[in-house]
Amino acid sequence: MVFTVSLLGFAYIFTGPEWLTIIHGMLLGGLFVVALAGTLVGLSALRPGLLTPEGRVRLERALQATAGLALVAGWAVVLVGTLVIDPLFHGGSAPPAHFLESYSGTVRWVTWAMPAKENLAWMSVILATATAMPLLTRSESMFTPTRARTVVLVLLSVALVFAGVAALLGVFLNKVGPIV
Amino acid sequence: MADRQARSERSRGVVQARPRLAPAFVAASLGVATLGLLAFLRQASEAVSIWLTWRTAAEMTGPGAIAVAVWLGSWAILAVVWRSRDVSRRTAILCLVLVAAGALLAIPPLDRLFL
């Protein structure tokens, strides 16, 4: 079944599963990566000497917003991916996985790329949740140069890299074996 | 004076109590390592892969749920055991080792080296 949406003079004509992949990857996944990147940049700027007291309060509130957005978008993207997109990829009437497995050159997209993408996305969102805790509570240890702050910066960077690689694999998987 | 400062900081939402960050970081790293271990076992054994697929064609349902259970369970336990533990150098290294192990197990080439 095809669903058509008109927006700003453009008609977007996609099937139901195609809309789901758009929501999963472009909307939720995009929001997650952008929010993670924003949190990382904001936290690296949250340092004594760089900010006025008012600037610190504003940046801490912005970090609460970006960390919260990363949490919501991150868990939404992995749950939609696991419970909705993955069954469409492996099952359904014309699963892309069967098509990719029929040729030796594309088999690794099913046996390697898809599992790696899923695992990296789950790892990323778990790390993003742990690092969001001190930001959401506006912990004092995030403002001063503590070891906890360094660990948050490192784990956030790892989460961002994992999310970026997962997103990249998702984009290529949608090219070689699109869900339609 | 101290009361005024405390009120001012509370109004800004600054949390003064020492947050339990070490348990949160180590538990999340344990969750990541669990995901990696389960991914490796899924690659190694078809039976494990089938057992971990709790919902038809949704291969991450089992590993995801188990990893979240390990993560939240260990977080709850560590929050009690490490009640006032700060993030030490050892804690930081432990987190990095667990995350690196998880990533290496989940992302081949390890499956090509050993399987």
Side-chain angles (χ1 to χ4, degrees), chain B residues 25-104:
Chain B
F25 297 157
V26 173
S29 306
L30 271 172
V32 169
T34 304
L35 271 173
L37 183 64
L38 292 174
F40 184 78
L41 293 175
R42 278 167 63 205
Q43 294 276 349
S45 164
E46 182 73 20
V48 172
S49 182
I50 291 168
W51 183 77
L52 285 171
T53 304
W54 293 359
R55 199 173 146 173
T56 310
E59 294 184 346
M60 279 303 288
T61 41
I66 291 172
V68 167
V70 168
W71 164 41
L72 296 180
S74 59
W75 193 351
I77 293 167
L78 289 173
V80 175
V81 176
W82 291 352
R83 193 177 295 273
S84 58
R85 182 164 179 161
D86 219 339
V87 179
S88 63
R89 180 186 292 268
R90 193 182 295 179
T91 312
I93 290 171
L94 178 64
C95 289
L96 289 179
V97 168
L98 285 170
V99 170
L104 284 173

Side-chain angles (χ1 to χ4, degrees), chain A residues 16-74:
Chain A
E18 282 175 327
W19 277 113
L20 288 173
T21 56
I22 288 169
I23 291 167
H24 167 70
M26 292 174 69
L27 184 66
L28 297 173
L31 271 177
F32 179 52
V33 172
V34 167
L36 269 185
T39 307
L40 186 60
V41 171
L43 182 58
S44 62
L46 187 69
R47 280 195 288 184
L50 290 182
L51 298 166
T52 62
E54 190 186 346
R56 175 188 170 181
V57 173
R58 286 191 178 195
L59 187 52
E60 282 176 337
R61 286 185 182 149
L63 279 169
Q64 280 181 313
T66 55
L69 180 63
L71 273 191
V72 174

Side-chain angles (χ1 to χ4, degrees), chain A residues 53 56-57 60-61 64 75 82-83 86-88 90-91 108 110-112 114-116 118-120 122-127 129-131 133-134 137-142 147-149 151-152 154-155 158 162, chain B residues 9 11-16 19 21 24-25 28-29 31-32 35-36 39 42-43 55-61 63-65 67-68 71 75 86-89 92 95-96 99 102-103 106-109 111-112:
Chain A
R56 175 188 170 181
V57 173
E60 282 176 337
R61 286 185 182 149
Q64 280 181 313
W75 281 106
T82 300
L83 299 173
D86 199 29
L88 289 171
H90 290 285
R108 294 275 289 166
V110 181
T111 59
W112 186 88
M114 190 63 171
E118 291 170 328
N119 280 303
L120 286 174
W122 274 87
M123 289 175 180
S124 177
V125 80
I126 287 175
L127 292 176
T129 306
T131 53
M133 297 304 295
T137 55
R138 294 170 71 179
S139 166
E140 191 69 23
S141 62
M142 292 300 104
R147 189 170 283 124
R149 185 178 184 278
V151 171
V152 167
V154 171
L155 292 183
V158 172
F162 284 2
Chain B
E9 289 182 337
S11 70
R12 292 194 295 114
V14 174
V15 175
Q16 289 300 305
L21 295 178
F25 297 157
S29 306
V32 169
L35 271 173
R42 278 167 63 205
Q43 294 276 349
R55 199 173 146 173
T56 310
E59 294 184 346
M60 279 303 288
T61 41
V68 167
W71 164 41
W75 193 351
D86 219 339
V87 179
S88 63
R89 180 186 292 268
C95 289
L96 289 179
V99 170
I107 309 164
D111 70 333
R112 285 237 166 145

Side-chain angles (χ1 to χ4, degrees), chain A residues 165-176:
Chain A
V165 175
L168 200 61
L169 287 171
V171 168
F172 283 124
L173 270 162
N174 200 41
K175 295 296 284 183
V176 296

